[in-house]
Amino acid sequence: MEGGAVQDGPLTGVRVLDVSTILAGPLCCRILGDHGADVIKIEHPEAGDGMRGHGQAKDGLPLWWKEISRNKRAVGLKLSTPDGADLLLRLAATADVLVENFRPGTLERWGIGPDRLHEVNPGLVIVRVTGFGQTGPYAGRAGFGTLAEAMSGFAHLTGEADGPPTLPAFGLADSICGIAAASATSMALYARERNGGRGEIIDINLLEPIMDAVGPGATVYQQLGIVGERHGNRSTNNAPRNTYRTSDGRWVAVSTSAQRIAERVLELVGHPEVITEPWFATGAGRAEHADLLDGHVGDWIAARTEAEVTAAFEAAGAAVAPVYSARDLVEDEHVRATGMLTTVPDPDFGPLLMHNVMWRSTGAPGRIRFTGRALGADTDDVLTELGVQADELARLRADKVVA
């Protein structure tokens, strides 16, 4: 394993300390690592990161860990001990970014809060990920993505009109927050170059990014007194917009956000007469007649196979997409051709399929250099780089401060 800065990606030479766990913080750091940062993953030396127990495993080895912790060197370090806190401060003196997601006040209680971190490294960008933020009435609450998905308005708007609020089957709030945190970190690194090298403290929580993603519900309520409700797969902004079943039992999704697309869809399914109706001229007007439009589109699609539907929509310049499972994604020709999924060598699994770097950049592309590592795999290397001698390492390991 090579230590230090890598030779590719726009963040080459940037060192990140990942002191976070499930899921937003680790995703933020993975994105930074994908783009060249030297990420040092710090975990409890015995319990490890809770992400190691998330998701499916093969032969006792966690699969998600291989992706979420790729491009990270793994160090086992018990921060709640004086020796562990001292080692973190020594590492922080060499770093550019520290990402943590302990409850507010935890780092301060251990003597390694932002004030102390900035004493040893005034340029350190400190990213603090929590459920509800560092301040406010809910700051001390346990924060999980499910709670943010519930409170953000997402669950309220998701599901059938006569059904219960619906939560996603995956870490939606965490993932949105992780991507937002990576963006915030990049901005803070840029700002540091413009403000004399001072590192910022970023306070980001799980709730706000998904609130933004849900849309302007608060603005609409404040101005119009309207509270959005569940409409299944339909939209209040346009129609037809739904999922429809084909004759061979597959599902496709149709979107008509643009007026001309809506016209093409209704022409295609053999009902051009509705296009001249006054209500068809706006998305909201079409949404008020969703039953009629869904009937026209659904009947046409139900009489054809998925392949026939897709070919006809493409020929008409209309918008359709199949509803995919993971198997479908893996087999899709476009996903394969564009490298959205890529195979990475892994010491445990051999060729391992995973999501590629999240975007393409011509001048400074990112790269997956290695997959998620075993707990403490790089402790000796990282601490030796820090100047820790072999006898001290042995003592720290005997005291269960490091793994």
Side-chain angles (χ1 to χ4, degrees), residues 85-251:
D86 178 67
L87 285 170
L88 181 71
L89 290 172
R90 291 166 66 180
L91 281 169
T94 73
D96 299 281
V97 178
L98 182 145
V99 179
E100 62 97 2
N101 71 334
F102 294 102
R103 286 201 194 186
T106 300
L107 288 187
E108 288 84 348
R109 189 170 68 251
W110 294 340
I112 46 178
D115 289 348
R116 186 73 181 98
L117 289 166
H118 276 159
E119 283 181 13
V120 301
N121 184 355
L124 185 68
V125 173
I126 303 171
V127 184
R128 314 198 77 178
V129 183
T130 55
F132 302 101
Q134 295 292 320
T135 61
Y138 302 159
R141 288 186 179 181
F144 295 99
T146 299
L147 310 185
E149 289 146 9
M151 292 178 64
S152 64
F154 174 86
H156 177 79
L157 294 174
T158 304
E160 296 298 326
D162 57 352
T166 302
L167 296 165
F170 54 93
L172 180 62
D174 277 279
S175 297
I176 295 173
C177 180
I179 296 168
S183 175
T185 303
S186 300
M187 292 181 195
L189 288 171
Y190 178 73
R192 188 178 68 173
E193 300 304 310
R194 298 167 60 89
N195 64 12
R198 185 180 69 255
E200 298 183 6
I201 301 172
I202 297 170
D203 178 3
I204 188 168
N205 61 74
L206 297 180
L207 182 57
E208 278 189 273
I210 190 172
M211 282 174 57
D212 208 333
V214 167
T219 303
V220 172
Y221 172 71
Q222 188 253 346
Q223 290 294 314
L224 301 175
I226 296 173
V227 175
E229 299 296 339
R230 292 183 290 284
H231 299 281
N233 291 322
R234 288 179 173 176
S235 168
T236 58
N237 299 316
N238 62 81
R241 190 265 199 183
N242 214 324
T243 57
Y244 309 89
R245 196 167 191 177
T246 64
S247 64
D248 53 349
R250 301 283 291 176
W251 289 89

Side-chain angles (χ1 to χ4, degrees), residues 57-391:
K58 181 180 179 183
D59 299 329
L61 296 171
L63 294 169
W64 197 356
W65 178 262
K66 294 289 187 177
E67 178 175 311
I68 197 67
S69 286
R70 71 193 188 199
N71 294 333
K72 300 179 185 181
R73 297 196 282 164
V75 173
L77 182 59
K78 193 171 183 179
L79 301 180
S80 60
T81 65
D83 282 335
D86 178 67
L87 285 170
L88 181 71
L89 290 172
R90 291 166 66 180
L91 281 169
T94 73
D96 299 281
V97 178
L98 182 145
V99 179
E100 62 97 2
N101 71 334
F102 294 102
R103 286 201 194 186
T106 300
L107 288 187
E108 288 84 348
R109 189 170 68 251
W110 294 340
I112 46 178
D115 289 348
R116 186 73 181 98
L117 289 166
H118 276 159
E119 283 181 13
V120 301
N121 184 355
L124 185 68
V125 173
I126 303 171
V127 184
R128 314 198 77 178
V129 183
T130 55
F132 302 101
Q134 295 292 320
T135 61
Y138 302 159
R141 288 186 179 181
F144 295 99
T146 299
L147 310 185
E149 289 146 9
M151 292 178 64
S152 64
F154 174 86
H156 177 79
L157 294 174
T158 304
E160 296 298 326
D162 57 352
T166 302
L167 296 165
F170 54 93
L172 180 62
D174 277 279
S175 297
I176 295 173
C177 180
I179 296 168
S183 175
T185 303
S186 300
M187 292 181 195
L189 288 171
Y190 178 73
R192 188 178 68 173
E193 300 304 310
R194 298 167 60 89
N195 64 12
R198 185 180 69 255
E200 298 183 6
I201 301 172
I202 297 170
D203 178 3
I204 188 168
N205 61 74
L206 297 180
L207 182 57
E208 278 189 273
I210 190 172
M211 282 174 57
D212 208 333
V214 167
T219 303
V220 172
Y221 172 71
Q222 188 253 346
Q223 290 294 314
L224 301 175
I226 296 173
V227 175
E229 299 296 339
R230 292 183 290 284
H231 299 281
N233 291 322
R234 288 179 173 176
S235 168
T236 58
N237 299 316
N238 62 81
R241 190 265 199 183
N242 214 324
T243 57
Y244 309 89
R245 196 167 191 177
T246 64
S247 64
D248 53 349
R250 301 283 291 176
W251 289 89
V252 297
V254 172
S255 176
T256 57
S257 296
Q259 179 69 23
R260 184 63 188 119
I261 298 297
E263 294 170 1
R264 290 172 183 169
V265 169
L266 271 298
E267 289 169 352
L268 172 63
V269 302
H271 289 278
E273 73 281 359
V274 299
I275 297 173
T276 59
E277 294 287 346
W279 52 262
F280 196 89
T282 66
R286 297 197 308 274
E288 292 175 357
H289 294 78
D291 286 342
L292 173 67
L293 298 178
D294 273 346
H296 291 334
V297 175
D299 289 346
W300 186 90
I301 288 176
R304 292 160 177 81
T305 67
E306 179 196 342
E308 292 169 337
V309 170
T310 300
F313 266 72
E314 288 182 357
V320 70
V323 176
Y324 271 177
S325 67
R327 179 189 298 109
D328 299 318
L329 275 173
V330 169
E331 296 173 353
D332 182 81
E333 61 178 354
H334 182 80
V335 172
R336 287 174 176 268
T338 56
M340 294 181 184
L341 295 173
T342 189
T343 301
V344 183
D346 179 77
D348 297 309
F349 298 120
L352 186 62
L353 188 69
M354 63 176 61
H355 297 107
N356 206 341
V357 176
M358 201 174 289
W359 57 85
R360 312 291 179 263
S361 177
T362 55
R367 183 167 67 93
I368 303 171
R369 303 181 298 281
F370 52 90
T371 57
R373 307 270 285 159
L375 176 60
D378 304 288
T379 299
D380 288 6
D381 287 346
V382 170
L383 296 187
T384 298
E385 291 170 12
L386 198 61
V388 178
Q389 299 300 308
D391 58 344

Side-chain angles (χ1 to χ4, degrees), residues 15-33 38-44 49 51 65 68-77 79 88 91 95 97-102 124-125 127 129:
R15 171 169 282 187
V16 177
L17 304 182
D18 180 0
V19 195
S20 63
T21 185
I22 311 167
L23 161 67
L27 177 57
C28 167
C29 295
R30 193 211 81 189
I31 294 170
L32 301 177
D38 173 30
V39 181
I40 298 174
K41 174 68 183 178
I42 297 175
E43 307 171 69
H44 190 283
D49 185 343
M51 280 300 301
W65 178 262
I68 197 67
S69 286
R70 71 193 188 199
N71 294 333
K72 300 179 185 181
R73 297 196 282 164
V75 173
L77 182 59
L79 301 180
L88 181 71
L91 281 169
V97 178
L98 182 145
V99 179
E100 62 97 2
N101 71 334
F102 294 102
L124 185 68
V125 173
V127 184
V129 183

